[in-house]
Amino acid sequence: MSRHDAGKPEQAAREAWLGEQARKPRRRRVVLADSTKARGKALRTIIELEEQTSVGEKLVRDLIRQQLKSAFGLAFAVLIGMCLLPITFYLVPQIGDLKILGIPIPWLVLGLAPFPILYGVGWVFRRQAERHERDFVNMVDR
C-alpha cells in the first residue's frame, strides 16, 4: 500500500458501495411544462389588473357584479321568507292557537327559526363568493 492509499476504504468495499449506488435510481427534478403562450396571456392580464387599465377595470367590475348579484338574490330570498311568516300567521290564525311546551308556535318560529336560516344563508353566500373569486383567479391565470 502506498502512502496515498492510507485511510481510504479497501478496493472491494469501495466497489461494493459503488455497485449499491448504481442500483439506486437517480433523483430527477420534475418541472411542469411551461406554456409560454398561456403564461404570456396570464401575465398580460395581471399587468392590466395592476395598472388598472380599462380591461382590468372591467374584469374587477364583473367580479363585483357577480358578488352583488349573489348578495341581493340571497337577501331578497331572506326578506321574502321572513315577511311571509307574519303574513301567514295573520291569514291563518289557527296556527297561533298551537302551542309547544306552553309557548305559541308563532313565537317559536319568529324567535328561533331566523337564526339557523340566517346562518345557512351566510354559509351559502360565503361559498358562492369563494366560487366567484376562484373563477376570477382561474380566468386571470388562463
Side-chain angles (χ1 to χ4, degrees):
M1 218 194 272
S2 71
R3 67 176 197 185
H4 297 291
D5 292 337
K8 290 187 179 179
E10 293 183 15
Q11 189 67 18
R14 184 170 186 251
E15 288 177 9
W17 183 81
L18 287 175
E20 181 181 324
Q21 290 297 320
R23 281 183 268 144
K24 288 184 179 178
R26 297 187 105 184
R27 288 183 146 194
R28 289 187 189 173
R29 182 175 177 201
V30 178
V31 180
L32 296 175
D34 289 334
S35 171
T36 55
K37 291 180 183 178
R39 181 160 274 224
K41 184 179 179 200
L43 184 60
R44 184 172 57 240
T45 306
I46 291 170
I47 290 171
E48 288 175 353
L49 287 172
E50 288 176 352
E51 293 180 356
Q52 297 179 351
T53 63
S54 61
V55 174
E57 286 179 14
K58 180 170 179 357
L59 291 171
V60 172
R61 220 175 315 139
D62 288 344
L63 174 64
I64 292 170
R65 186 175 296 125
Q66 285 179 335
Q67 299 284 25
L68 282 173
K69 186 177 176 182
S70 293
F72 286 136
L74 288 170
F76 182 71
V78 167
L79 184 67
I80 294 297
M82 293 299 167
C83 289
L84 285 178
L85 286 173
I87 293 170
T88 303
F89 296 140
Y90 178 75
L91 294 175
V92 185
Q94 295 84 8
I95 296 175
D97 296 336
L98 299 174
K99 294 183 180 189
I100 295 179
L101 299 173
I103 303 171
I105 295 286
W107 281 90
L108 287 174
V109 171
L110 291 173
L112 297 177
F115 297 106
I117 292 170
L118 291 175
Y119 181 82
V121 168
W123 183 77
V124 168
F125 177 71
R126 183 183 55 91
R127 296 268 317 251
Q128 285 182 350
E130 288 173 351
R131 189 187 75 222
H132 292 313
E133 290 172 4
R134 194 171 42 251
D135 292 345
F136 176 76
V137 168
N138 288 340
M139 180 189 59
V140 168
D141 285 343
R142 270 192 286 152

